[in-house]
Amino acid sequence: MDNKVRVNGLTFVPYLTHDKILEQVKRVASEIRRDLQDSEEPVFVCVLNGAFIFAADLIREVGLNDGKIAFVRYASYEGTSSTGHVRQLTGLTEDITGKDVVIIEDIVDTGLTAVKMVDDLKKHNPKSVKFATLLHKPESSRTGFEPDYVAFAIPPKFIIGYGLDLDGKVRNLHDIYVIEEEGE
Ligand code: IMP
Ligand code: MG
C-alpha cells in the first residue's frame, strides 16, 4: 500500500493534509467574521458541486448565526482542464437583494467562472459581494480576477480531494492530492 490515489488511469500524490486545510479554513473564517461583524443576515453562496465541503467547514468556523446559505451550480471543466465555456446549471436558491454576499468556491483557475458568477449575482442588487476560495492558481488566470479571501495559493497543477473532483469522483477524500509528475 502506498499513499497515492489512482482514478481514471491517473495517479495523485498527497499535497495538503486535512489538518493543514483546517488551519487555513480557520484563518479565512476569522477574516470573514471580522469583515461581516456589522452585517445583517449575510448570505453565503456555495458554488456546487466542488465547494460543498469547504463551505460546510467555513460557515461553521465563521459562526454567524444570522447568516444564511444559498447554492448555485456552475460547470466549466471536463476531465483535468477548463473548456473555457462556463455554464450556469442551477441559479440562486435565496434572495440576496440588499444583502452582504460571500461567494464560497473551491478553486479559482482561469477565473472565468468567478467573473461570470460575480456578474450574475450583482444583477440581484446585493449590498456587497466578496469572494472566498479554498484554492487559487494565480498563474492560470485568464481574467486577472483576484479573490478577496484565499486559503491557499498553488501552482497550476490539477488537484483532487476535499470536494474537488476528477469527472465527479474522489470528492470524498479528507486530504488534497496533486497529479503525479512524470518520473516521480
Ligand atoms: P475557472 O473557471 O477556470 O476558474 O475554473 C473554476 C472551476 O474549475 C472550479 O470551480 C473547479 O470546479 C474546476 N477546477 C479548476 N481547477 C481544478 C483542479 O485542479 N481540480 C479540480 N477542479 C478544478
Ligand atoms: Mg467549482
Side-chain angles (χ1 to χ4, degrees):
M1 269 283 283
D2 57 26
N3 50 12
K4 296 180 180 180
V5 172
R6 294 175 179 82
V7 57
N8 287 7
L10 297 174
T11 304
F12 293 83
V13 295
Y15 186 53
L16 299 168
T17 63
H18 194 235
D19 284 351
K20 208 169 163 189
I21 296 166
L22 289 186
E23 242 172 56
Q24 294 309 310
V25 169
K26 285 185 181 160
R27 191 224 350 126
V28 167
S30 66
E31 293 171 17
I32 293 174
R33 195 181 323 115
R34 179 198 63 207
D35 293 350
L36 290 181
Q37 60 190 356
D38 299 322
S39 174
E40 258 179 58
E41 298 183 2
V43 182
F44 297 94
V45 176
C46 169
V47 185
L48 296 172
N49 293 332
F52 78 113
I53 291 178
F54 174 46
D57 283 340
L58 186 69
I59 64 163
R60 287 182 292 178
E61 286 298 333
V62 172
L64 293 172
N65 293 347
D66 70 341
K68 297 183 177 178
I69 182 130
F71 297 90
V72 288
R73 189 161 171 228
Y74 285 80
S76 66
Y77 253 58
E78 266 169 30
T80 61
S81 62
S82 174
T83 59
H85 175 69
V86 182
R87 292 176 299 143
Q88 188 187 64
L89 304 179
T90 309
L92 261 184
T93 56
E94 188 77 37
D95 185 17
I96 61 163
T97 310
K99 305 286 186 192
D100 292 309
V101 170
V102 180
I103 298 171
I104 305 178
E105 176 62 300
D106 53 358
I107 185 161
V108 174
D109 183 38
T110 63
L112 292 166
T113 308
V115 166
K116 170 133 178 53
M117 215 151 32
V118 171
D119 271 8
D120 287 350
L121 291 190
K122 282 189 171 162
K123 290 180 192 144
H124 296 263
N125 299 314
K127 186 173 170 200
S128 68
V129 178
K130 291 269 176 82
F131 198 101
T133 187
L134 176 68
L135 299 144
H136 183 207
K137 295 181 185 168
E139 292 164 51
S140 305
S141 182
R142 288 195 225 159
T143 53
F145 180 81
E146 288 289 344
D148 301 283
Y149 310 102
V150 178
F152 298 93
I154 62 166
K157 293 180 184 168
F158 190 76
I159 53 143
I160 55 164
Y162 193 72
L164 289 121
D165 70 308
L166 172 58
D167 284 336
K169 299 177 187 173
V170 291
R171 295 192 196 274
N172 59 300
L173 298 169
H174 282 81
D175 299 335
I176 289 179
Y177 294 75
V178 65
I179 198 156
E180 188 173 55
E181 303 283 351
E182 294 292 317
E184 253 183 82

